[in-house]
Amino acid sequence: MVEIQEATDTSVFGQIAEHQHEQVVFCHDHETGLRAIIGIHNTVLGPALGGTRMWHYASETEALHDVLRLSRGMTYKAAISGLNLGGGKAVIIGDARTQKTEALLRKFGRFVKNLNGKYITAEDVNMTTKDMEYIRMETSHVAGLPESSGGSGDPSPVTAYGVYMGMKAAVKKAYGSDSLAGKRVALQGVGHVGLYLLEHLTKEGAQVVLTDYYEDRALDAANRFGAKMVGLDDIYDQDVDIYSPCALGATINDNTIGRLKCQVIAGSANNQLENENVHGPALVERGIVYAPDFLINAGGLINVYTEVIGSNRQSALTQTEKIYDFTRQVLDKAEQEGSHPQAAAIRQAKERIASLGKVKSTY
Ligand code: NAD
């Protein structure tokens, strides 16, 4: 079984070495107050692509931990999706409401430019398409721009389509048929992705109970699609076939796992398992089929990739549809290996990187 280690050496180089990150760039600018970290995990398959998030981290250690964890996730997401991309991510430390300025963003863009295409940035938490346009003024190594600026546009519908495909594959594994008609789904979060997913689910005849941090948003979605709204914490106790986390990470943890009555988990949130080594095997023991998050939520990255290779939304959707087959393969592999799906998915991603790394060993 693949062991997914958490960092034990908390020194900067200890953390960088833990998951073999290639390069970490600390960006500082006195004038604009920029403090950012760019994490490049692996570029064997191609340039490291991943969004920039701005967050008021409690400490620099927390920011470093986040960028290392997120950039590693991007490597696996790209690799398992068959993309010629590496994994990277960036964090800007600060309050996006009060500290984000054009000058700060453009200075950050200069740091991205200095990496000469080794890292390609995109939008993430607390960043807008307008912010991306500022960064684009300093560097061409930006993806995920709005369609009006020649970009690939909102990735959420493509992400939702991939989650839907992954969910169907996991349902096939659990129930023998991939039909969602009559299946009861607990949907956590009806934001960008959750709402598009809700549309797919109800169209196929699933019965959805949903929740959202914003009650009016939940109520509106429930009314629009004939779903039932429940309280934030009640979502874990629902008598459902499928739990679909589309809000936050780490919702599968010691407190929630015993409450889940579902047979399938498939959602868009990143890092759904609070501790992969503990909660991955725990789900197997409980007979719950888990569709690996970074595999089934890759539609957004696949969509952004079209910008890098110059193709279009339709080709992104065609590629995203393959998430169905990829998920089935990973679930079967995990079962054969006596492993859990998240570990099997990581192993598969690592195998692709290792084998293609050999291809590149000659000029
Ligand atoms: P979003 O911010 O549009 O939606 C998230 C929704 O979750 C919001 O409506 C928010 O109110 C709600 N929420 C927050 N805390 C909650 C809680 N405790 N309980 C219930 N609801 C809660 O984000 P999104 O773009 O829809 O992304 C959803 C998830 O999928 C995120 O974890 C994101 O990282 C991940 N993801 C998104 C994409 C994409 O293309 N947008 C791609 C890959 C992964």
Side-chain angles (χ1 to χ4, degrees), residues 341-358:
Q342 191 82 351
I346 290 176
R347 194 207 298 271
Q348 191 168 311
K350 283 183 169 175
E351 280 169 4
R352 178 162 182 260
I353 296 166
S355 72
L356 291 176
K358 287 181 195 137

Side-chain angles (χ1 to χ4, degrees), residues 52 100 102 105-106 121-137 139 142-156 192 303-304 307 313:
T52 296
K100 194 164 66 175
E102 177 184 349
L105 292 166
R106 291 182 66 166
T121 197
E123 203 181 323
D124 199 69
V125 175
N126 282 333
M127 297 293 272
T128 65
T129 47
K130 180 78 198 154
D131 298 335
M132 288 299 122
E133 282 172 339
Y134 284 136
I135 296 172
R136 179 73 180 78
M137 288 174 191
T139 174
V142 182
L145 292 167
E147 280 166 307
S148 56
S149 307
S152 54
D154 180 10
S156 308
H192 288 99
N303 189 58
V304 164
E307 228 170 291
R313 173 67 60 111

Side-chain angles (χ1 to χ4, degrees), residues 26 58 78 101 110 130 169-170 185 188 260 274 296 347:
F26 290 83
T101 60
R110 303 293 293 185
K130 180 78 198 154
V185 185
Q188 183 179 45
L260 297 173
E274 186 176 64
I296 73 165
R347 194 207 298 271

